[in-house]
Amino acid sequence: ECLLLRSVLRTVLLLIICFASAFGADASPRRIVSLSPVGTEILFALGQGRNIVGVTNFCDYPPEALKKPKVGDFAALNFEMLVAGNVDLLVAQDIHKQFVPQLKQLNIPYIILEQETVAGVYSSIAALGRVCGAEKRAAALTGSIKKEIAAVVSKVQTLSRPQVVLCVSRELTETQINSFYAAGSKTFYNELIELAGGKNALVSGASAYPHVASEGLMKINPDVIIDLVGDKKFYHSKDSVDLDKVFNKKYLTEQWLRSAKVKATASGHVSILTGTLYLRPGPRMGTIVRDFARAVHSEVKW
């Protein structure tokens, strides 16, 4: 089993797929718990919403997911609940690999989705489609995503490639931005930036999401800044804050303009993207690439 697990990990496709031996060849799960917001979205896209019996507090798309029973935070597992609920498929992501021994011991069928590359997302959709007996839907979904991305690529492939800094996390309540975390070259964001017609300005370094100070931003001097600020319903602060003010795009943009003087701020090429959509490489990946392309190539008529 260890040799098999290492082999699967080396493929960088689906990390682990495990089914209970009680399943027949044509059986498909009817009691699914999803600990992955991306997995939840894929399941609904594959027509499996009726079979989902539990999701995390962070599974907010599609809107129907909000009506499903909550099983808590996606970072933890309640094994007693899984066993007592007769769960016949657990959909998880790489953060849950640490729980594989317990899942095997309890004979809980699971699948861990890979979402660090575009190809990995396609493979995850295909594998979940096979598990749920929805291969045709999975193929159609993947085809739709590829078509959306191809439409963007066709518009930007002959254009110049601006240097892009993609901010994935920062303090939103400060007057100006002193530091932030950005997407490095070892992330799926790097691939999406390339597809959107840009070039990741952070191509060196060992960290997937390096911490960048204002001095570092000035040294990088990007042409474009894309700021992913998430969704206000999931924002937490130790201080009492006015979330409507904090998540106002003008307010967030002005923070960048008051900070390091770089080409992006001087030319006004700062894009604020709100919502959990941009944090989840899944069925709406084509939309992410399109919106990145709009930020990178504002001169194009979209």
Side-chain angles (χ1 to χ4, degrees):
E1 288 183 349
C2 291
L3 289 175
L4 176 60
L5 179 57
R6 286 197 295 268
S7 175
V8 174
L9 287 171
R10 283 196 298 269
T11 65
V12 197
L13 293 174
L14 286 173
L15 300 180
I16 310 165
I17 301 178
C18 174
F19 303 107
S21 58
F23 281 162
D26 299 322
S28 57
R30 290 292 179 266
R31 295 186 60 79
I32 305 172
V33 167
S34 175
L35 297 182
S36 165
V38 170
T40 298
E41 190 171 337
I42 295 173
L43 285 167
F44 273 99
L46 297 181
Q48 301 302 305
R50 66 187 181 281
N51 297 323
I52 300 174
V53 297
V55 298
T56 75
N57 297 326
F58 296 95
C59 294
D60 62 342
Y61 191 88
E64 292 83 356
L66 296 171
K67 302 175 184 178
K68 292 294 182 178
K70 302 299 184 292
V71 295
D73 193 333
F74 71 91
L77 281 185
N78 185 331
F79 294 104
E80 291 183 1
M81 179 274 296
L82 294 174
V83 173
N86 294 316
V87 172
D88 53 20
L89 179 65
L90 177 69
V91 178
Q93 56 191 62
D94 53 359
I95 193 174
H96 302 113
K97 287 188 294 182
Q98 60 182 309
F99 301 115
V100 167
Q102 294 98 315
L103 292 172
K104 286 184 176 181
Q105 185 177 10
L106 295 171
N107 199 32
I108 298 173
Y110 64 92
I111 178 172
I112 296 183
L113 306 179
E114 197 278 307
Q115 49 192 79
E116 288 302 315
T117 65
V118 171
V121 173
Y122 293 153
S123 296
S124 294
I125 292 172
L128 200 49
R130 288 193 297 271
V131 172
C132 297
E135 293 93 337
K136 289 184 178 180
R137 282 203 182 208
L141 176 59
T142 299
S144 177
I145 299 170
K146 290 181 177 179
K147 184 177 180 180
E148 291 175 330
I149 292 177
V152 173
V153 171
S154 68
K155 282 194 172 187
V156 302
Q157 60 186 351
T158 61
L159 304 178
S160 61
R161 290 185 169 270
Q163 295 281 329
V164 180
V165 162
L166 181 67
C167 171
V168 298
S169 178
R170 68 178 178 90
E171 176 54 59
L172 301 182
T173 58
E174 296 178 346
T175 303
Q176 65 180 41
I177 299 163
N178 298 309
S179 65
F180 59 94
Y181 289 92
S185 60
K186 299 177 181 179
T187 66
F188 70 91
Y189 285 123
N190 184 74
E191 192 173 359
L192 300 190
I193 291 171
E194 292 281 341
L195 291 169
K199 186 174 182 180
N200 193 346
L202 296 172
V203 294
S204 60
S207 175
Y209 295 97
H211 186 249
V212 181
S214 57
E215 295 82 2
L217 180 62
M218 287 189 287
K219 185 176 180 180
I220 297 168
N221 196 21
D223 301 300
V224 175
I225 294 173
I226 301 176
D227 188 10
L228 310 183
V229 297
D231 191 296
K232 64 181 179 182
K233 66 177 173 286
F234 294 124
Y235 182 74
H236 298 286
S237 174
K238 61 182 179 180
D239 303 315
S240 177
V241 298
D242 182 347
L243 291 179
D244 290 332
K245 175 186 176 181
V246 168
F247 280 84
N248 179 279
K249 288 190 176 183
K250 181 180 179 182
Y251 170 82
L252 294 169
T253 301
E254 288 176 348
Q255 290 175 320
W256 287 101
L257 301 181
R258 284 193 295 266
S259 302
K261 302 303 179 183
V262 296
K263 287 184 285 187
T265 55
S267 64
H269 284 98
V270 177
S271 293
I272 309 296
L273 299 182
T274 60
T276 56
L277 159 66
Y278 304 102
L279 310 178
R280 300 172 181 173
R284 293 178 290 168
M285 196 160 54
T287 301
I288 299 175
V289 173
R290 182 200 63 203
D291 290 351
F292 280 10
R294 283 176 170 170
V296 174
H297 289 288
S298 58
E299 76 279 11
V300 174
K301 185 176 180 179
W302 295 98

